[in-house]
Amino acid sequence: MKLARWQANIMLLLTAMIWGTTYTFIKQAYEGHMTAGMMNAIRGFIYALLIFVFFHRIIRQMTRDDFRIGLIAGIINFLGYQIQTIGLNYTTPSKSAFLTATYVVMIPFIVWLFLHQRPAGKSYLAIAICFVGTLFLTNTIQTGFNFKIGDTLTLLSAFVFAAQIVYFSSKAAESNPFTVAFMLGIVQGVASLIWSLIFERGDYSSINWSVSIWPVLILAVFASFGAQTMQVVGQKFTDSTSSGLILMTESLFGSLFSVLMGFDPLTSNLLIGGALIVVAIFMMEFSLKNIVAIRKRRRLGR
């Protein structure tokens, strides 16, 4: 399977659109007193099952290197999801969306630190614009911060997600994406279940399954199987900085979803923030020098 860079980026954009809805579904699951570990365990096992059903021939050809790479990717993925899900129980969806999106700011520095690849100068400007856009998008620029435990945990999960994106774009790119996706689901399911059995057993009796199970099933099928599989495939064929910026639009789509569902009004902050994020992505995806060079070649060809 081979994708052009623009095709991979479209796949990541679809991923961000789906992930933008997850904050609401997670909150709905929490209303039914679903625990974070159980929620992620169900998502992980369903994710792995669906991957195996559709791509079992590829998964059966898994090598030791595939297993090792998938195991490491799965552990990073588990830590990110578990920390973020716990944090979301103690903060608002909009704050969680913004704080999670800060992983984009961290990516170039992680690449520089571990891979010794200094990002292009435009990356810093694009990231700054994207960061300011997210401030507008979540109204943080007006209300300011009031950090609580949920905010701190979400910020920590952002660092883990930044490391995950860098790992996917480097090491995980060496393996078949469906093998990696299968390992993500298995590790998330097993690790989350172990976490839940150790720390959450006392909360099982309060879970209202009729309320919480449907949001979790939607998360498992669409956010985990659908979106996360597209993430793994898409990141195999693009660079980590572009991946981070595109996936950062998750907060944009989260806000749009809230407006469409009647949870939030359409505001100037939403429009300004969305426009700034689009500008930042445009900066990363297009080079002014290349555009000028293409125009010159076209003129010479006439």
Side-chain angles (χ1 to χ4, degrees), residues 197-268:
L197 291 172
I198 294 174
F199 298 107
E200 300 173 347
R201 291 180 65 182
D203 298 323
Y204 288 168
S205 60
S206 62
I207 297 176
N208 186 336
W209 289 96
S210 63
V211 172
S212 60
I213 192 61
W214 291 110
V216 175
L217 291 177
I218 292 172
L219 288 168
V221 175
F222 294 100
S224 294
F225 173 65
Q228 197 159 21
T229 301
M230 287 193 292
Q231 179 204 5
V232 174
V233 175
Q235 285 190 227
K236 184 179 177 68
F237 301 103
T238 191
D239 63 276
S240 57
T241 303
S242 293
S243 298
L245 277 167
I246 294 170
L247 292 175
M248 188 180 181
T249 60
E250 171 186 338
S251 58
L252 167 64
F253 291 114
S255 296
L256 289 175
F257 179 77
S258 295
V259 171
L260 292 175
M261 296 298 293
F263 294 116
D264 289 295
L266 182 64
T267 64
S268 59

Side-chain angles (χ1 to χ4, degrees), residues 118-127 283-284:
R118 187 168 185 170
K122 68 175 184 178
S123 300
Y124 296 98
L125 179 58
I127 287 170
M283 287 180 60
M284 288 301 302

Side-chain angles (χ1 to χ4, degrees), residues 9 16 109 153 261:
N9 289 344
F109 300 99
L153 289 173
M261 296 298 293

Side-chain angles (χ1 to χ4, degrees), residues 52-110:
F52 186 81
V53 168
F54 287 98
F55 306 105
H56 56 90
R57 292 182 181 178
I58 297 174
I59 294 167
R60 284 174 177 171
Q61 298 175 0
M62 184 188 303
T63 65
R64 286 186 177 182
D65 286 340
D66 291 335
F67 179 82
R68 176 180 53 81
I69 291 172
L71 179 63
I72 295 173
I75 292 172
I76 298 173
N77 180 70
F78 159 71
L79 291 173
Y81 270 105
Q82 189 66 19
I83 296 170
Q84 182 197 44
T85 305
I86 294 173
L88 186 54
N89 195 30
Y90 302 101
T91 190
T92 63
S94 60
K95 263 193 174 183
S96 181
F98 165 68
L99 291 171
T100 301
T102 60
Y103 64 73
V104 177
V105 181
M106 306 174 190
I107 287 174
F109 300 99
I110 292 178

